[in-house]
Amino acid sequence: MKLIKRKHFVIPTERSMKRRGISLLIMVVLFSSCNQKTFNNETAMLDYIKDETNGYTQHKTINGVDYTLMYRPTDALVNQELGDASPSSAQIKELREKYNKYMYFNLSMSQNNQELLSTAPKNRNEFGAMVNELAFGMNKKVHVYTPSKDTLEMADFIYPRMYGMSRATTIMFVYPRDEKYLKEDYLNFTIQDLGLYTGEVKFKVPTNKLNNEPKLNF
């Protein structure tokens, strides 16, 4: 005849529940800190960002046109403004608060390893039309929206003319950092056809990467 052992259940006390809550909070903080990378210099941080396996850079080639979308972290902008200065912690905090209000995306487009203006236009009229579109019309060509179709309003875009001195046409797009949109799993970043017969090009940007962006040790 087998003896059946009965399990004894212990009713958790208020103190033990608090301890469990504190332990859980510590685990969450540790997990979050592990997800957020910190670097001693911008070169190391950019190398990490450019590695597609880390989720901050994506690349697509469509009809001979190469598209690369790269997220630019807040601290990259902070470091650019600081230059060679030796900043105080107060200055760093102020600049981080200034730039962290927005999200920054670099979109690079090239054909045959050259700028679009060097390869796409077939005549002067087409060249002029593309220059005008790249400089003034990209707010109508690029869109960012959530899976539930909520559209983020573009704050600005910057297109520096490189006059054939670069291997790609690169434009920086700026969007407000709105927490309600960053609760979604991802954001859609789309580029309408620029007359290159690519159709609409779409990238999915994971929001966990934006919420845990890399930082610099200043």
Side-chain angles (χ1 to χ4, degrees):
M1 182 174 179
K2 293 183 179 179
L3 295 176
I4 299 175
K5 292 183 179 180
R6 297 194 177 186
K7 294 182 180 179
H8 296 280
F9 295 94
V10 179
I11 299 175
T13 63
E14 184 178 351
R15 179 179 294 180
S16 66
M17 290 178 70
K18 285 183 178 179
R19 286 178 179 172
R20 288 181 183 178
I22 293 171
S23 299
L24 181 60
L25 179 61
I26 292 172
M27 288 176 65
V28 169
V29 171
L30 288 174
F31 181 76
S32 298
S33 62
C34 288
N35 280 346
Q36 190 168 53
K37 299 287 184 179
T38 305
F39 299 88
N40 291 324
N41 58 74
E42 188 177 19
T43 300
M45 184 175 73
L46 289 178
D47 286 342
Y48 175 81
I49 290 170
K50 289 177 182 178
D51 186 340
E52 290 189 48
T53 60
N54 294 320
Y56 290 96
T57 296
Q58 300 180 51
H59 178 83
K60 288 185 178 182
T61 300
I62 300 173
N63 196 27
V65 182
D66 294 313
Y67 291 85
T68 301
L69 181 67
M70 184 181 79
Y71 178 70
R72 198 171 182 196
T74 297
D75 278 5
L77 279 296
V78 172
N79 193 56
Q80 180 178 317
E81 181 158 334
L82 289 173
D84 297 327
S86 299
S88 64
S89 56
Q91 286 176 306
I92 294 169
K93 181 181 178 182
E94 182 181 354
L95 288 175
R96 277 176 168 167
E97 290 175 351
K98 170 186 173 182
Y99 287 109
N100 196 48
K101 294 176 182 177
Y102 300 94
M103 301 179 294
Y104 309 87
F105 300 91
N106 278 358
L107 175 66
S108 295
M109 300 170 286
S110 65
Q111 196 171 40
N112 299 325
N113 208 28
Q114 298 180 67
E115 291 182 59
L116 295 183
L117 288 173
S118 300
T119 58
K122 296 181 178 62
N123 52 55
R124 288 186 178 182
N125 289 337
E126 288 187 7
F127 182 88
M130 179 166 278
V131 168
N132 188 67
E133 189 163 58
L134 292 172
F136 306 107
M138 293 304 289
N139 57 323
K140 297 177 182 177
K141 291 291 186 176
V142 170
H143 305 281
V144 174
Y145 57 92
T146 67
S148 53
K149 305 300 182 182
D150 290 320
T151 301
L152 282 68
E153 185 175 351
M154 187 187 298
D156 198 6
F157 73 93
I158 302 166
Y159 165 58
R161 283 286 306 275
M162 301 304 292
Y163 300 96
M165 301 298 291
S166 175
R167 293 183 177 181
T169 299
T170 300
I171 305 173
M172 185 171 75
F173 294 90
V174 185
Y175 287 88
R177 185 183 294 275
D178 195 324
E179 290 186 6
K180 69 180 179 182
Y181 297 135
L182 293 178
K183 291 179 181 178
E184 302 273 1
D185 291 336
Y186 62 89
L187 297 175
N188 293 297
F189 188 106
T190 64
I191 309 104
Q192 292 181 14
D193 196 335
L194 300 176
L196 305 172
Y197 305 101
T198 60
E200 182 182 76
V201 181
K202 180 188 290 186
F203 294 96
K204 286 186 177 181
V205 182
T207 54
N208 67 317
K209 298 298 179 180
L210 307 179
N211 289 321
N212 297 285
E213 62 178 24
K215 288 186 175 293
L216 287 173
N217 284 322
F218 289 103

